């Protein structure tokens, strides 16, 4: 039986991130992807031109429709733009017997805000506590915890601050640091330092969504958290290396690079 993974996220009309990136990743990794759309964006390679949040009732109905009939082996969250949406999705995840990967999306690759400042506290107090794995980048760590990472030495301090909000595991993504792309995975007791060479490729739109979806896909297939994150890191590194130009700005990673 093919495992099912549910993404709860916004739609990216350009196809590089969001729901579209999530579903491509899930297909590439051999799981059945399903979706709860939380927002519709007008988005392309140069930025986000508009975003429209869906009503909470629509988000709840989509989630219940999938979970109550088909069932899920993992859940992944992305763009949840308001406190009401964050709290609703956290409640739904808490009632679902499946691991949850929380990507606390704050801004787009182009710097466009995707999370209302008023929703930050709901992410801290409602969403992170129900996460099996949280996957913040360095900007998201700073907004959520106040910890600013300037070097690899700061990654451990950032992880401690994120774990204090309740996720079982945290992946602190150090891709914005100089040198190799280094991430720290920890549950507060064991640590896994994940290193990959930095590819000279600016077409990296969708990396965060892709990594979180890859982790959820591997968890759905029965892997442990360290196994899932290591496999996801390898997959996203290959997708970045194969990223391609699209439009006039930053192109997407190549989600099907591993399919030949």
């Amino acid at each position: 039986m093919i495992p099912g993974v549910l993404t709860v996220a916004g739609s990216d009309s350009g196809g590089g991130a969001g729901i579209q990136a999530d579903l491509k990743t899930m297909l590439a990794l051999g799981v059945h992807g399903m979706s709860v759309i939380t927002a519709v964006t007008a988005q392309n390679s140069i930025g986000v031109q508009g975003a429209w949040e869906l009503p909470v009732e629509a988000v709840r109905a989509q989630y219940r429709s999938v979970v109550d009939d088909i069932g899920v082996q993992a859940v992944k969250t992305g763009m949840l733009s308001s406190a009401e949406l964050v709290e609703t999705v956290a409640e739904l995840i808490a009632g679902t017997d499946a691991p949850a990967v929380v990507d606390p999306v704050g801004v787009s690759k182009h710097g466009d805000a995707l999370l209302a400042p008023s929703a930050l506290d709901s992410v801290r107090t409602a969403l992170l506590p129900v996460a099996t794995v949280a996957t913040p980048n360095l900007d998201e760590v700073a907004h959520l915890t106040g910890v600013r990472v300037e070097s690899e030495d700061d990654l451990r301090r950032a992880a401690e601050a994120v774990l204090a909000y309740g996720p079982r595991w945290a992946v602190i993504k150090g891709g914005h640091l100089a040198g190799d792309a280094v991430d720290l995975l920890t549950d507060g007791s064991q640590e896994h330092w994940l290193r990959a060479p930095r590819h000279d490729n600016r077409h990296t739109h969708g990396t965060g969504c892709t990594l979180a979806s890859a982790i959820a896909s591997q968890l759905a297939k029965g892997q442990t958290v360290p196994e899932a994150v290591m496999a996801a890191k390898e997959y996203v590194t290959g997708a970045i290396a194969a990223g391609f130009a699209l439009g006039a700005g930053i192109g997407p990673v190549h989600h099907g690079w591993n399919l030949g």
Side-chain angles (χ1 to χ4, degrees):
M1 186 174 178
I2 298 176
V5 182
L6 179 62
T7 169
V8 184
S11 169
D12 172 1
S13 56
I19 288 283
Q20 288 80 355
D22 297 340
L23 294 177
K24 291 174 189 177
T25 299
M26 293 168 190
L27 179 63
L29 294 178
V31 300
H32 175 63
M34 300 168 284
S35 64
V36 171
I37 297 175
T38 60
V40 174
T41 70
Q43 187 171 169
N44 54 27
S45 70
I46 58 176
V48 178
Q49 292 77 47
W52 297 268
E53 180 181 306
L54 265 68
V56 165
E57 313 87 75
V59 171
R60 186 185 296 275
Q62 291 175 83
Y63 192 101
R64 290 262 62 92
S65 179
V66 171
V67 173
D68 293 349
D69 172 48
I70 302 169
V72 295
Q73 280 66 59
V75 179
K76 175 262 176 186
T77 72
M79 178 184 176
L80 304 173
S81 51
S82 68
E84 188 178 18
L85 265 182
V86 170
E87 291 166 10
T88 297
V89 171
E91 174 194 335
L92 290 166
I93 289 174
T96 304
D97 185 19
V101 180
V102 169
D103 185 18
V105 175
V107 297
S108 75
K109 177 67 69 179
H110 309 92
D112 303 285
L114 299 176
L115 178 71
S118 59
L120 276 173
D121 196 51
S122 296
V123 173
R124 297 183 190 105
T125 61
L127 191 59
L128 288 177
V130 300
T132 307
V133 187
T135 64
N137 64 29
L138 301 187
D139 288 337
E140 290 155 358
V141 167
H143 282 104
L144 288 167
T145 71
V147 174
R148 300 201 172 273
V149 176
E150 307 292 342
S151 69
E152 276 189 40
D153 293 340
D154 297 327
L155 290 175
R156 185 177 287 111
R157 186 163 56 93
E160 290 171 354
V162 171
L163 288 172
Y165 289 115
R168 286 173 49 199
W169 292 83
V171 180
I172 308 301
K173 299 180 294 192
H176 293 162
L177 296 174
D180 287 348
V182 180
D183 304 327
L184 171 59
L185 167 67
T186 180
D187 63 353
S189 58
Q190 55 179 299
E191 291 183 351
H192 302 271
W193 292 84
L194 310 177
R195 296 180 182 274
R198 185 176 300 278
H199 295 286
D200 184 18
N201 184 357
R202 73 189 189 94
H203 299 300
T204 57
H205 186 46
T207 49
C209 305
T210 300
L211 179 70
S213 293
I215 295 170
S217 297
Q218 303 295 5
L219 290 174
K221 291 190 285 188
Q223 293 188 348
T224 66
V225 170
E227 289 170 341
V229 175
M230 290 175 194
K233 173 79 169 181
E234 181 179 354
Y235 169 76
V236 78
T237 299
I240 291 169
F244 56 93
L246 193 71
I250 300 173
V253 301
H254 188 351
H255 297 96
W257 72 272
N258 62 325
L259 301 177

